[in-house]
């Protein structure tokens, strides 16, 4: 009995430490996984919608994303949870009490190492098995989606481009792949132009081959209308061919053969190989392949061991913290994470270029963390953070003038009743919590992005300046995306601490209600929402253009920039015309070509081209040096004029090219583009939903504050951990509901206004309910 009692007492301290750190690890894991998963899912969701991939692939994409996110979030959660748990015990003097009772450092450290060892086993399995398989699944899903899209690659009333062809379909059923009133423009290598107009059409696919089938076809072939080709003779430049047939079939390259080949062949990318495949490559591959496989194996092993070494580092740091609480834990987590992953990326780069051995480079960060942990454990124990070392000591006599000053300040603050001294304190606490939380989330967001792009950085030799510019231009997008979650966490932490320290009770004892206590939080959320709107409307559109172009360069693509020039196509829904042109900086059309159809809007009737086009008024377009080709039966009449005036032309705003990615547009620009797209006959469901979400986005910050404050006051007395758990649950629910309504709106199942605003209405109702349940 005595032995059992001693054994029970022996494990009291380890069990207590496990209980003190485990909730923070779980909380950090949920929060980090939600943030990183939302970042990846948002990027891929935009691809699914605007690339028009099948909706059924969304679940598969989500399942394929999760292992990769967990390999990053588990080590971070281990570090953050253990540091925050030890920081809390240190700030409450529990570690001092343990040492005074004779508890040694090892007794306090080994429970943390046990947690790290267990999570290391999980990450090892993910790195060696699940993550590579998920990467292959993600690529396979993308190829399957592209293949499914090729079954009907043309959407009615939208221009679609295939190799050598531009296709426009006025009518049809996209699901069945049936087209009605088809216009096809094609240009050969000798610049001979072909125009096919047909009453109906479809694409037949068999295996890796695709064939275009048109019925009631008018095929017209003529030389280039905009420039002469050096290979054409004078006779060629004046020859026109018009053919009419009941049915026309010809092969067309949709890229299907390449996709089918990639689906059937084995993926040889080493980053997508599992443990067995990499070992086989080490044994039988070429020298370069062996080196690459060894590097990847060691990198995965090093990252798999990160939770164990992070737990050692967290415990070593946690034992030295005496003051500062959880905020110091968050700050230390950030510093360790940034240093670790920067060294990890450096070691990976050195191993890739051959500067260091592939057996050593991936382990540099791990060795650094282990050495630093031993240094902290073996050096003399000195309090790491102490608020007493920061605040100057004051004698009792010196304290009275300060109290008098505060009293005077309080009176000056309270002339109008708001803001008073308590409001100023709350504002300051909210601002500090908001900044710390945003910096932490943004740093993790950037590190994850950097880690995701690192293999492209190493291959393309992208310089540090290019990567730094990309991360800088990414910051406005991060701010807009993270501000709601940051606001929720900030108000929960601030008001939960207020309730736990019984400051709220003192506030209520002075005759103030809980609603008055929440007033500073509401005004702070209002200010942050206004700031988010300014960033979204005036900063983010331009920076998103730049960061997309920089990301393409980092990933190895061509440097791309959006300009106001470039060949454009426009379909008029009112005058049976197609316009092909370049839009000049001065608002003129450069080398415009107008294809006009017959009265049934089926077959080509006239083609007019010229050197330039300018508007006489909003409805009349003048084309200079015009050449007109009129189809009369099976013949072609050619006429040249110094200028030709077209009536009933759309306004210049419709012709003006713009950017069709909502994240690259302000709400006003997106609304203008939406109206122009409607006039072109495009499906604008996704754009309309994106516009409503832009309007609703800043209000999400206010709603998060409305939900967070009553939850914090209610749960704060039970502990900040409970409040933070509520923040994670609410944040995940808000993201899931918002994403679900957005997808329903994108596919036309809900009105855009309902899809954009319903999540806010739902969560505003929830916040009102929570507020009504708080004791005033």
């Amino acid at each position: 009995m005595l032995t059992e009692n001693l054994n029970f007492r022996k494990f009291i301290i380890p069990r207590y430490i496990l209980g003190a750190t485990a909730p923070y690890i779980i909380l950090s894991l949920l929060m980090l996984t939600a943030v990183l998963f939302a970042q990846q899912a948002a990027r891929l969701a935009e691809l699914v919608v605007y690339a028009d991939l099948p909706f059924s692939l969304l679940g598969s994409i989500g399942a394929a994303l999760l292992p990769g996110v967990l390999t990053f979030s588990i080590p971070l959660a281990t570090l953050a949870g253990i540091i925050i748990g030890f920081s809390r015990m240190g700030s409450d003097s529990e570690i001092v009490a343990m040492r005074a009772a004779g508890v040694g450092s090892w007794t306090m450290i080994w429970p943390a190492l046990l947690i790290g060892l267990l999570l290391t086993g999980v990450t090892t399995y993910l790195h060696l098995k699940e993550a590579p398989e998920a990467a292959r699944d993600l690529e396979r899903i993308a190829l399957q989606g592209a293949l499914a899209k090729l079954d009907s690659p043309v959407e009615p009333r939208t221009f679609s481009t295939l190799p050598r062809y531009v296709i426009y379909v006025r009518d049809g059923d996209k699901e069945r792949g049936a087209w009605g009133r088809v216009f096809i423009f094609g240009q050969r290598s000798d610049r001979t132009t072909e125009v096919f107009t047909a009453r109906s059409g479809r694409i037949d696919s068999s295996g890796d081959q695709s064939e275009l089938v048109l019925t009631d076809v008018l095929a017209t072939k003529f030389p280039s209308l905009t420039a002469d080709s050096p290979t054409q003779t004078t006779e060629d430049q004046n020859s026109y061919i018009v053919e009419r047939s009941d049915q026309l079939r010809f092969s067309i390259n949709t890229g299907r053969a390449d996709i089918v080949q990639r689906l059937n062949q084995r993926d040889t990318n080493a980053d997508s190989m599992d443990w067995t495949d990499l070992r086989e490559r080490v044994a039988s591959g070429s020298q370069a392949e062996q080196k690459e496989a060894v590097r990847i194996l060691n990198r995965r092993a090093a990252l798999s061991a990160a939770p164990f070494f992070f737990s050692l580092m967290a415990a070593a740091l946690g034992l030295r913290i005496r003051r500062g609480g959880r905020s110091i834990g968050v700050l230390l987590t950030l510093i360790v994470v940034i240093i670790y992953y920067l060294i990890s990326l450096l070691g990976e780069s050195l191993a890739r270029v051959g500067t260091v051995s592939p057996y050593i480079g991936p382990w540099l960060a791990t060795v650094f963390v282990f050495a630093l942990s031993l240094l902290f454990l073996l050096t003399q124990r000195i309090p790491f953070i102490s608020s007493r070392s920061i605040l100057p000591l004051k004698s009792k006599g010196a304290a009275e003038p300060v109290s008098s000053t505060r009293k005077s300040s309080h009176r000056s603050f309270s002339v109008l009743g708001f803001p008073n001294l308590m409001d100023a304190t709350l504002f300051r606490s909210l601002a500090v919590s908001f900044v710390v939380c945003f910096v932490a989330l943004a740093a993790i967001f950037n590190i994850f992005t950097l880690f995701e792009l690192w293999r492209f950085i190493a291959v393309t030799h992208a310089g540090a300046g290019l990567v730094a510019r990309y991360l800088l231009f990414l910051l406005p997008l991060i701010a807009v995306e993270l501000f709601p979650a940051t606001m929720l966490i900030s108000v929960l932490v601030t008001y939960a601490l207020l309730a736990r320290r019984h400051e709220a009770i003192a506030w209520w004892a002075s005759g103030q209600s809980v609603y008055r206590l929440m007033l500073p939080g509401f005004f702070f959320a209002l200010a942050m929402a206004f700031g988010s709107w300014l960033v979204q409307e005036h900063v983010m559109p331009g920076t998103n253009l730049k960061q997309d172009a920089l990301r393409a360069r980092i990933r190895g693509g061509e440097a791309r920039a959006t300009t106001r020039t470039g060949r454009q196509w426009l379909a008029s829904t009112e005058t049976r015309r197609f316009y092909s042109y370049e839009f000049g900086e001065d608002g003129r059309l450069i080398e415009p070509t107008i294809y006009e159809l017959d009265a049934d809007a089926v077959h080509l009737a006239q083609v007019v081209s010229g050197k330039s086009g300018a508007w006489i008024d909003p409805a009349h377009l003048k084309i200079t040096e015009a050449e007109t080709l009129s189809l009369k039966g099976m013949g072609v009449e050619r006429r040249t004029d110094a200028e030709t005036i077209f009536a009933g032309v759309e306004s210049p705003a419709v012709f003006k090219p713009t950017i069709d990615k909502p994240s690259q547009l302000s709400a006003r620009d997106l609304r203008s583009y939406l109206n122009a797209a409607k006039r072109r006959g495009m499906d604008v469901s996704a754009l309309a939903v994106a516009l409503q979400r832009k309007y609703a986005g800043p209000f999400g910050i206010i709603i998060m504050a409305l939900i967070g404050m009553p939850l914090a006051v209610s749960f704060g007395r039970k502990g900040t951990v409970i409040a933070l758990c509520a923040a994670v649950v609410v944040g995940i629910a808000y993201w899931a509901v918002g994403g679900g309504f957005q997808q329903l709106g994108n596919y036309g199942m809900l009105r855009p206004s309902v899809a954009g605003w319903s999540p806010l209405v739902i969560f505003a109702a929830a916040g009102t309910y929570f507020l009504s349940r708080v004791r005033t």
Side-chain angles (χ1 to χ4, degrees), residues 312-498:
L312 179 62
M313 168 66 83
L317 287 174
L319 290 176
R320 300 168 67 91
I321 296 175
R322 294 293 177 269
R323 301 290 178 187
R326 300 171 187 85
S327 59
I328 295 301
V330 173
L331 180 61
L332 291 177
T333 301
L334 249 161
I335 294 172
V336 171
V337 166
I338 291 173
I339 293 175
Y340 175 83
Y341 281 103
L342 285 179
I343 296 177
S344 178
L345 295 175
L346 175 63
E348 174 79 7
S349 178
L350 294 176
R352 189 184 291 270
V353 298
T355 306
V356 299
S357 169
Y359 291 97
I360 297 175
W363 290 94
L364 288 180
T366 305
V367 172
F368 173 79
V369 168
F370 181 63
L372 196 61
S373 302
L374 292 180
L375 180 65
F376 284 139
L377 288 173
L378 297 177
T379 54
Q380 184 179 3
R381 183 171 57 85
I382 301 174
F384 195 80
I385 298 292
S386 176
S387 59
R388 294 178 181 177
S389 63
I390 300 173
L391 299 176
L393 296 175
K394 297 181 177 70
S395 64
K396 293 183 179 180
E400 188 62 31
V402 175
S403 176
S404 176
T405 304
R406 288 182 178 176
K407 185 175 180 180
S408 174
S409 174
H410 178 76
R411 288 176 180 172
S412 63
F413 265 85
S414 303
V415 173
L416 299 177
F418 179 85
N420 59 27
L421 189 60
M422 185 65 178
D423 295 322
T425 303
L426 274 174
F427 276 128
R428 184 169 60 251
S429 299
L430 284 168
V432 171
S433 299
F434 189 89
V435 170
V436 170
C437 181
F438 176 74
V439 169
L441 292 178
I444 293 170
F445 195 101
N446 273 331
I447 290 172
F448 185 78
T449 302
L450 193 61
F451 209 75
E452 179 190 16
L453 291 175
W454 185 251
R455 63 190 181 97
F456 301 105
I457 295 172
V459 171
T460 60
H461 303 290
L466 177 64
V467 176
R469 281 164 50 209
Y470 167 70
L471 295 178
L472 177 64
F473 289 128
L474 187 65
L475 193 58
L477 176 64
I478 294 174
V480 173
E481 293 289 335
L482 295 183
F483 267 20
T486 305
M487 177 57 64
L488 178 63
I489 297 172
S490 300
V491 297
L492 276 168
V493 170
T494 302
Y495 281 90
L497 290 175
L498 196 72

Side-chain angles (χ1 to χ4, degrees), residues 652-672:
V654 178
F655 284 81
K656 191 174 184 179
T658 185
I659 306 155
D660 58 358
K661 226 177 176 183
S663 61
Q664 298 174 348
L665 296 168
S666 64
R668 183 178 63 181
D669 293 337
L670 181 56
R671 185 174 63 249
S672 300

Side-chain angles (χ1 to χ4, degrees), residues 208-230:
D208 58 356
Q209 301 297 320
S210 298
E211 192 175 48
L212 187 61
V213 182
L214 303 174
T215 58
D216 188 8
V217 188
L218 180 68
T220 310
K221 184 170 71 173
F222 39 78
S224 175
L225 299 176
T226 57
D228 294 331
S229 174

Side-chain angles (χ1 to χ4, degrees), residues 23-35 69-78 80-81 119 728 732:
Y24 291 107
I25 294 174
I26 296 172
L27 179 65
S28 300
L29 179 62
L30 291 174
M31 188 181 302
L32 291 169
T33 302
V35 170
V69 171
L70 286 175
T71 57
F72 192 83
S73 61
I74 289 176
L76 292 186
T78 305
L119 293 177
V728 172
I732 293 175

Side-chain angles (χ1 to χ4, degrees), residues 721-772:
V721 175
I722 302 296
L724 288 176
C725 288
V728 172
V729 172
V730 171
I732 293 175
Y734 179 76
W735 172 79
V737 171
F741 273 91
Q742 181 184 11
Q743 296 305 321
L744 292 175
N746 288 338
Y747 286 88
M749 300 178 187
L750 290 176
R751 292 174 58 88
S753 55
V754 175
W757 290 91
S758 290
L760 292 184
V761 173
I762 293 171
F763 280 86
T768 305
Y769 171 77
F770 292 144
L771 196 60
S772 67

